[in-house]
Amino acid sequence: MNPYPVDPYWMVALKALLVVVGLLTAFAFMTLIERRLLARFQVRMGPNRLGPMRTWKRARRRRSIKVMKAKAVRRPTTTNRAFKATIQ
C-alpha cells in the first residue's frame, strides 16, 4: 500500500491554478498597497485633494512660475560691469 495518496490529474491542475491565482492576486494587492503608502509618505497633492483638473492646472502653473523665479539668475545691482569685463 502506497503511503502517499495520488490525486487525479484534474485535482492537481485545480490546486496549481488556485495557487497561481492566489499568488497573482496577492502580488496585485501588495503593489496597490505599496503605491498608496509611497504616495502618502511623499505627501503628493493628488486630484482628490486638489480638486478638478482646472484647479490642478492653475496650481501647477503657479508652482512652476515660483520655481522659475527661484531658479532665475540674479545679478546684484551694485555690480561693477567695467571691472568684471577686465577680469575676463
Side-chain angles (χ1 to χ4, degrees):
M1 186 160 173
N2 191 358
Y4 302 108
V6 178
D7 289 334
Y9 289 118
W10 64 271
M11 183 73 77
V12 173
L14 182 66
K15 287 179 183 179
L17 182 68
L18 286 175
V19 168
V20 169
V21 169
L23 287 174
L24 289 176
T25 304
F27 184 75
F29 276 113
M30 290 303 290
T31 303
L32 179 69
I33 291 169
E34 178 192 16
R35 288 184 180 192
R36 287 187 180 213
L37 283 175
L38 289 177
R40 187 168 296 242
F41 291 158
Q42 295 174 6
V43 190
R44 290 190 202 154
M45 295 295 284
N48 57 347
R49 289 196 212 168
L50 205 53
M53 286 298 289
R54 186 178 43 173
T55 308
W56 181 72
K57 286 181 182 177
R58 280 190 206 142
R60 185 175 180 183
R61 192 177 318 133
R62 287 185 191 133
R63 271 192 312 240
S64 62
I65 289 171
K66 286 180 184 178
V67 168
M68 287 191 312
K69 284 182 179 180
K71 288 185 177 181
V73 177
R74 296 187 182 135
R75 181 176 294 176
T77 56
T78 59
T79 302
N80 188 348
R81 294 184 187 190
F83 177 72
K84 194 172 186 180
T86 59
I87 293 175
Q88 294 176 354

